[in-house]
Amino acid sequence: MTVAEREELLGEEDDEDDDENLMINDKNNEESGKDPILQTIGDFGPYQFFICAVGYFVTIPHCWISLSLKFVGMRTNFTCADHFTPNISFDESCVGQDQEKCLNFIFDQSQFRSTIHQRWNLVCDQEGMDSIAQSVFFSGCLIGVFLSGVLADIYGRKPVFFSLVAGVVIFGVMGGITSSFYTWLVLRFLLGASAIGMITVRFTIQVEMVGSKWRTWGNMTGALGWSSGYMLLPVIVYLIPDMKQLEVFIALCFLPFIGLYWIQPESPKWLLSVGRIDEAEKIVERISYWNNKPFKETHVPGLLSILQFPNIGRNILCMSFSWFSVGLVYYGIALHTPEFGSNVYMVFFLAGLMEIPANFISLEGKG
């Protein structure tokens, strides 16, 4: 064999070694990119199904809270009650028979009772206060969605979630029994902050514990819960036409979820992020047993590893703007849907029904 042939053969061997090393490195990079906790407990199993099921059922009454203001603040016909007349006609007069400013009103309660207009006479010069109520509620949502994330990072997902559930029950019941409009506004603000915060923390737990291949389908359960709540709300309102009772009923629907405190474990990823390694390992072992997966100890990188991906910050800003814009339009349409037709219940039900095929259409092309 000549020297030239020997060099050519050695060169081919070096190329083969380089290719082999490259394949090994690619494999190692692929393995290092996987979530070590999900590698242990599995991408989707009975535990993840449980989380998604909780998400479905808790989203139903959350939808009721978010959209019930249209019924709770429903404007009904009225007339001045300062002077009694045998035959009441709801002429929406703001003055009495003596042409003085009317102080007391009689409302048409044939369809809705105890709306905020009827409870606090929000008519005539008080017209438009229902719009303030909407603004107050969504201002609470704006504060709650950010504050809940901060609290969940400091104190943990589990205690913050269940504290917010308890807050929804307390503020919702108090809103149904209070006799002061301004107290009701404060309670409505706190209710909005607690409700959206509760959903945000629950969603965080689900995203942390469901594998990427199943995450879209897992998130769909929450969307279907919202659609179900959307369709059920007019049925609930029809069965409970008293809006004070409706507020109390919706709030009490969250009571069963408090019982999950003794079942739902803390997020092991949060425990790892704060250095509570032993607790995280026990929970991962428990979840692995639940999912029928063999438990194995693994190294988990810290949260600072997210800094390796600078594009995440840009994506967060874009998504935040998109969610704000979409939410603004969505609630604007949803809360004014009854104005498109005479049958409030049917129009509201159909609006919710339309969301179900829309949810599945959004899955087009998803794995």
Side-chain angles (χ1 to χ4, degrees):
M1 179 182 295
T2 64
V3 175
E5 291 175 344
R6 185 181 296 109
E7 290 179 351
E8 182 178 356
L9 179 60
L10 291 175
E12 291 177 355
E13 292 178 353
D14 290 340
D15 290 340
E16 291 177 359
D17 291 339
D18 291 341
D19 292 340
E20 184 178 356
N21 291 333
L22 182 60
M23 294 175 61
I24 294 175
N25 290 334
D26 290 341
K27 183 178 180 180
N28 290 336
N29 291 334
E30 181 181 356
E31 293 295 329
S32 63
K34 292 182 179 179
D35 190 315
I37 291 182
L38 293 178
Q39 283 183 289
T40 303
I41 67 174
D43 287 340
F44 196 88
Y47 172 72
Q48 286 90 345
F49 178 82
F50 166 76
I51 292 179
C52 294
V54 171
Y56 173 83
F57 287 108
V58 80
T59 304
I60 293 177
H62 172 251
C63 176
W64 297 346
I65 289 177
S66 301
L67 300 182
S68 64
L69 192 58
K70 184 58 187 180
F71 297 101
V72 172
M74 183 68 70
R75 186 182 186 277
T76 58
N77 296 328
F78 65 93
T79 188
C80 182
D82 285 350
H83 298 282
F84 175 77
T85 56
N87 298 319
I88 299 176
S89 64
F90 299 105
D91 55 4
E92 301 194 0
S93 175
C94 295
V95 296
Q97 292 180 351
D98 55 0
Q99 299 303 310
E100 295 292 331
K101 178 181 177 180
C102 188
L103 299 178
N104 300 291
F105 299 89
I106 297 176
F107 291 88
D108 180 7
Q109 298 187 0
S110 60
Q111 192 172 16
F112 301 100
R113 299 193 301 270
S114 300
T115 67
I116 59 175
H117 291 83
Q118 298 172 6
R119 291 166 70 179
W120 294 294
N121 293 331
L122 302 183
V123 293
C124 297
D125 58 339
Q126 297 295 316
E127 189 79 26
M129 294 297 287
D130 57 336
S131 298
I132 294 179
Q134 291 184 8
S135 300
V136 167
F137 176 80
F138 286 107
S139 295
C141 292
L142 182 63
I143 299 298
V145 72
F146 290 105
L147 190 59
S148 62
V150 175
L151 293 176
D153 287 340
I154 297 175
Y155 300 105
R157 282 53 166 136
K158 180 178 178 178
V160 172
F161 172 75
F162 287 102
S163 297
L164 292 173
V165 172
V168 169
V169 175
I170 295 171
F171 301 138
V173 171
M174 291 180 64
I177 63 178
T178 184
S179 59
S180 169
F181 176 64
Y182 294 102
T183 300
W184 183 83
L185 286 179
V186 173
L187 291 170
R188 202 70 189 177
F189 176 89
L190 296 174
L191 180 64
S194 299
I196 193 65
M198 169 194 67
I199 290 297
T200 300
V201 177
R202 188 217 64 80
F203 185 76
T204 301
I205 296 174
Q206 179 173 306
V207 171
E208 288 180 341
M209 303 310 297
V210 175
S212 58
K213 292 187 296 185
W214 292 90
R215 200 164 290 156
T216 301
W217 289 98
N219 296 342
M220 178 59 63
T221 59
L224 292 176
W226 180 274
S227 300
S228 301
Y230 205 144
M231 292 187 293
L232 285 173
L233 180 58
V235 178
I236 300 298
V237 174
Y238 181 80
L239 297 175
I240 309 177
D242 188 298
M243 296 300 100
K244 290 195 298 184
Q245 296 178 6
L246 178 70
E247 289 188 62
V248 174
F249 171 79
I250 293 176
L252 293 179
C253 286
F254 287 91
L255 272 178
F257 297 105
I258 297 180
L260 296 176
Y261 181 85
W262 291 272
I263 302 176
Q264 172 69 48
E266 178 59 271
S267 169
K269 291 188 178 181
W270 178 81
L271 291 172
L272 288 169
S273 70
V274 295
R276 293 160 63 175
I277 309 299
D278 294 339
E279 295 179 59
E281 288 184 352
K282 291 179 181 178
I283 291 177
V284 170
E285 184 175 6
R286 174 184 169 188
I287 297 174
S288 299
Y289 176 78
W290 199 346
N291 283 354
N292 196 26
K293 293 284 186 178
F295 173 72
K296 57 181 180 180
E297 295 185 2
T298 183
H299 169 71
V300 180
L303 289 183
L304 291 179
S305 60
I306 197 174
L307 298 178
Q308 300 174 7
F309 308 98
N311 290 334
I312 289 181
R314 181 198 62 188
N315 294 341
I316 290 176
L317 290 176
C318 293
M319 292 177 64
S320 298
F321 178 77
S322 298
W323 271 103
F324 178 81
S325 303
V326 171
L328 192 67
V329 175
Y330 177 86
Y331 283 107
I333 296 176
L335 292 175
H336 292 82
T337 298
E339 299 176 3
F340 297 158
S342 58
N343 191 325
V344 174
Y345 308 107
M346 182 58 67
V347 173
F348 222 87
F349 175 84
L350 292 176
L353 183 63
M354 289 173 58
E355 292 202 2
I356 293 181
N359 290 331
F360 286 99
I361 291 174
S362 66
L363 288 176
E364 185 70 24
K366 300 291 184 181

PDB file of all heavy atoms in Angstrom, residues 211-226:
ATOM      1  N   GLY A 211     -46.687  16.477  29.404  1.00  0.00           N
ATOM      2  CA  GLY A 211     -45.677  16.474  28.352  1.00  0.00           C
ATOM      3  C   GLY A 211     -46.083  17.305  27.160  1.00  0.00           C
ATOM      4  O   GLY A 211     -47.276  17.507  26.883  1.00  0.00           O
ATOM      5  N   SER A 212     -45.086  17.785  26.415  1.00  0.00           N
ATOM      6  CA  SER A 212     -45.350  18.694  25.292  1.00  0.00           C
ATOM      7  C   SER A 212     -46.228  18.060  24.228  1.00  0.00           C
ATOM      8  O   SER A 212     -47.027  18.743  23.586  1.00  0.00           O
ATOM      9  CB  SER A 212     -44.018  19.153  24.678  1.00  0.00           C
ATOM     10  OG  SER A 212     -43.256  18.031  24.233  1.00  0.00           O
ATOM     11  N   LYS A 213     -46.107  16.750  24.018  1.00  0.00           N
ATOM     12  CA  LYS A 213     -46.919  16.095  22.991  1.00  0.00           C
ATOM     13  C   LYS A 213     -48.394  16.083  23.351  1.00  0.00           C
ATOM     14  O   LYS A 213     -49.254  16.029  22.478  1.00  0.00           O
ATOM     15  CB  LYS A 213     -46.418  14.656  22.769  1.00  0.00           C
ATOM     16  CG  LYS A 213     -45.035  14.567  22.140  1.00  0.00           C
ATOM     17  CD  LYS A 213     -44.685  13.132  21.799  1.00  0.00           C
ATOM     18  CE  LYS A 213     -44.598  12.260  23.046  1.00  0.00           C
ATOM     19  NZ  LYS A 213     -44.153  10.891  22.725  1.00  0.00           N
ATOM     20  N   TRP A 214     -48.699  16.129  24.655  1.00  0.00           N
ATOM     21  CA  TRP A 214     -50.079  16.070  25.126  1.00  0.00           C
ATOM     22  C   TRP A 214     -50.586  17.425  25.617  1.00  0.00           C
ATOM     23  O   TRP A 214     -51.758  17.546  25.996  1.00  0.00           O
ATOM     24  CB  TRP A 214     -50.193  15.055  26.267  1.00  0.00           C
ATOM     25  CG  TRP A 214     -49.976  13.650  25.831  1.00  0.00           C
ATOM     26  CD1 TRP A 214     -48.794  12.969  25.786  1.00  0.00           C
ATOM     27  CD2 TRP A 214     -50.977  12.738  25.368  1.00  0.00           C
ATOM     28  NE1 TRP A 214     -48.972  11.689  25.331  1.00  0.00           N
ATOM     29  CE2 TRP A 214     -50.319  11.515  25.070  1.00  0.00           C
ATOM     30  CE3 TRP A 214     -52.357  12.819  25.181  1.00  0.00           C
ATOM     31  CZ2 TRP A 214     -51.006  10.406  24.596  1.00  0.00           C
ATOM     32  CZ3 TRP A 214     -53.038  11.712  24.715  1.00  0.00           C
ATOM     33  CH2 TRP A 214     -52.363  10.524  24.426  1.00  0.00           C
ATOM     34  N   ARG A 215     -49.731  18.419  25.616  1.00  0.00           N
ATOM     35  CA  ARG A 215     -50.086  19.695  26.245  1.00  0.00           C
ATOM     36  C   ARG A 215     -51.253  20.379  25.538  1.00  0.00           C
ATOM     37  O   ARG A 215     -52.135  20.944  26.180  1.00  0.00           O
ATOM     38  CB  ARG A 215     -48.860  20.606  26.265  1.00  0.00           C
ATOM     39  CG  ARG A 215     -48.931  21.732  27.277  1.00  0.00           C
ATOM     40  CD  ARG A 215     -47.561  22.320  27.489  1.00  0.00           C
ATOM     41  NE  ARG A 215     -46.689  21.388  28.191  1.00  0.00           N
ATOM     42  CZ  ARG A 215     -45.366  21.410  28.118  1.00  0.00           C
ATOM     43  NH1 ARG A 215     -44.760  22.290  27.342  1.00  0.00           N
ATOM     44  NH2 ARG A 215     -44.652  20.541  28.809  1.00  0.00           N
ATOM     45  N   THR A 216     -51.268  20.327  24.215  1.00  0.00           N
ATOM     46  CA  THR A 216     -52.359  20.973  23.481  1.00  0.00           C
ATOM     47  C   THR A 216     -53.688  20.324  23.795  1.00  0.00           C
ATOM     48  O   THR A 216     -54.696  21.002  24.033  1.00  0.00           O
ATOM     49  CB  THR A 216     -52.088  20.915  21.967  1.00  0.00           C
ATOM     50  OG1 THR A 216     -50.845  21.567  21.686  1.00  0.00           O
ATOM     51  CG2 THR A 216     -53.203  21.596  21.194  1.00  0.00           C
ATOM     52  N   TRP A 217     -53.704  18.989  23.814  1.00  0.00           N
ATOM     53  CA  TRP A 217     -54.940  18.284  24.140  1.00  0.00           C
ATOM     54  C   TRP A 217     -55.326  18.509  25.601  1.00  0.00           C
ATOM     55  O   TRP A 217     -56.529  18.587  25.926  1.00  0.00           O
ATOM     56  CB  TRP A 217     -54.782  16.795  23.853  1.00  0.00           C
ATOM     57  CG  TRP A 217     -54.723  16.493  22.394  1.00  0.00           C
ATOM     58  CD1 TRP A 217     -53.597  16.289  21.633  1.00  0.00           C
ATOM     59  CD2 TRP A 217     -55.828  16.377  21.494  1.00  0.00           C
ATOM     60  NE1 TRP A 217     -53.932  16.056  20.324  1.00  0.00           N
ATOM     61  CE2 TRP A 217     -55.297  16.097  20.211  1.00  0.00           C
ATOM     62  CE3 TRP A 217     -57.213  16.485  21.653  1.00  0.00           C
ATOM     63  CZ2 TRP A 217     -56.099  15.923  19.094  1.00  0.00           C
ATOM     64  CZ3 TRP A 217     -58.022  16.304  20.539  1.00  0.00           C
ATOM     65  CH2 TRP A 217     -57.469  16.023  19.279  1.00  0.00           C
ATOM     66  N   GLY A 218     -54.345  18.591  26.468  1.00  0.00           N
ATOM     67  CA  GLY A 218     -54.649  18.872  27.872  1.00  0.00           C
ATOM     68  C   GLY A 218     -55.268  20.240  28.046  1.00  0.00           C
ATOM     69  O   GLY A 218     -56.226  20.423  28.813  1.00  0.00           O
ATOM     70  N   ASN A 219     -54.714  21.221  27.335  1.00  0.00           N
ATOM     71  CA  ASN A 219     -55.273  22.569  27.408  1.00  0.00           C
ATOM     72  C   ASN A 219     -56.682  22.629  26.831  1.00  0.00           C
ATOM     73  O   ASN A 219     -57.485  23.486  27.222  1.00  0.00           O
ATOM     74  CB  ASN A 219     -54.363  23.552  26.679  1.00  0.00           C
ATOM     75  CG  ASN A 219     -52.993  23.662  27.327  1.00  0.00           C
ATOM     76  OD1 ASN A 219     -52.812  23.276  28.476  1.00  0.00           O
ATOM     77  ND2 ASN A 219     -52.026  24.179  26.592  1.00  0.00           N
ATOM     78  N   MET A 220     -56.974  21.725  25.904  1.00  0.00           N
ATOM     79  CA  MET A 220     -58.306  21.693  25.311  1.00  0.00           C
ATOM     80  C   MET A 220     -59.383  21.387  26.344  1.00  0.00           C
ATOM     81  O   MET A 220     -60.523  21.837  26.214  1.00  0.00           O
ATOM     82  CB  MET A 220     -58.336  20.648  24.190  1.00  0.00           C
ATOM     83  CG  MET A 220     -59.690  20.480  23.524  1.00  0.00           C
ATOM     84  SD  MET A 220     -60.292  22.008  22.781  1.00  0.00           S
ATOM     85  CE  MET A 220     -59.036  22.288  21.559  1.00  0.00           C
ATOM     86  N   THR A 221     -59.040  20.633  27.383  1.00  0.00           N
ATOM     87  CA  THR A 221     -60.039  20.312  28.402  1.00  0.00           C
ATOM     88  C   THR A 221     -60.541  21.582  29.094  1.00  0.00           C
ATOM     89  O   THR A 221     -61.734  21.715  29.383  1.00  0.00           O
ATOM     90  CB  THR A 221     -59.457  19.347  29.447  1.00  0.00           C
ATOM     91  OG1 THR A 221     -58.298  19.948  30.074  1.00  0.00           O
ATOM     92  CG2 THR A 221     -59.046  18.038  28.802  1.00  0.00           C
ATOM     93  N   GLY A 222     -59.621  22.516  29.357  1.00  0.00           N
ATOM     94  CA  GLY A 222     -60.037  23.780  29.952  1.00  0.00           C
ATOM     95  C   GLY A 222     -60.920  24.575  29.009  1.00  0.00           C
ATOM     96  O   GLY A 222     -61.921  25.182  29.428  1.00  0.00           O
ATOM     97  N   ALA A 223     -60.583  24.562  27.716  1.00  0.00           N
ATOM     98  CA  ALA A 223     -61.394  25.278  26.729  1.00  0.00           C
ATOM     99  C   ALA A 223     -62.788  24.679  26.626  1.00  0.00           C
ATOM    100  O   ALA A 223     -63.794  25.397  26.520  1.00  0.00           O
ATOM    101  CB  ALA A 223     -60.698  25.248  25.370  1.00  0.00           C
ATOM    102  N   LEU A 224     -62.872  23.344  26.682  1.00  0.00           N
ATOM    103  CA  LEU A 224     -64.179  22.695  26.649  1.00  0.00           C
ATOM    104  C   LEU A 224     -64.964  22.973  27.929  1.00  0.00           C
ATOM    105  O   LEU A 224     -66.199  23.062  27.901  1.00  0.00           O
ATOM    106  CB  LEU A 224     -64.014  21.187  26.443  1.00  0.00           C
ATOM    107  CG  LEU A 224     -63.483  20.763  25.076  1.00  0.00           C
ATOM    108  CD1 LEU A 224     -63.275  19.250  25.035  1.00  0.00           C
ATOM    109  CD2 LEU A 224     -64.438  21.194  23.970  1.00  0.00           C
ATOM    110  N   GLY A 225     -64.263  23.098  29.043  1.00  0.00           N
ATOM    111  CA  GLY A 225     -64.926  23.469  30.291  1.00  0.00           C
ATOM    112  C   GLY A 225     -65.552  24.850  30.193  1.00  0.00           C
ATOM    113  O   GLY A 225     -66.670  25.082  30.673  1.00  0.00           O
ATOM    114  N   TRP A 226     -64.833  25.768  29.554  1.00  0.00           N
ATOM    115  CA  TRP A 226     -65.373  27.120  29.358  1.00  0.00           C
ATOM    116  C   TRP A 226     -66.610  27.076  28.456  1.00  0.00           C
ATOM    117  O   TRP A 226     -67.629  27.711  28.751  1.00  0.00           O
ATOM    118  CB  TRP A 226     -64.306  28.016  28.746  1.00  0.00           C
ATOM    119  CG  TRP A 226     -64.767  29.425  28.514  1.00  0.00           C
ATOM    120  CD1 TRP A 226     -65.432  29.888  27.408  1.00  0.00           C
ATOM    121  CD2 TRP A 226     -64.635  30.538  29.398  1.00  0.00           C
ATOM    122  NE1 TRP A 226     -65.710  31.225  27.550  1.00  0.00           N
ATOM    123  CE2 TRP A 226     -65.239  31.645  28.765  1.00  0.00           C
ATOM    124  CE3 TRP A 226     -64.066  30.698  30.654  1.00  0.00           C
ATOM    125  CZ2 TRP A 226     -65.277  32.903  29.354  1.00  0.00           C
ATOM    126  CZ3 TRP A 226     -64.099  31.958  31.251  1.00  0.00           C
ATOM    127  CH2 TRP A 226     -64.693  33.041  30.608  1.00  0.00           C
TER     128      TRP A 226
END
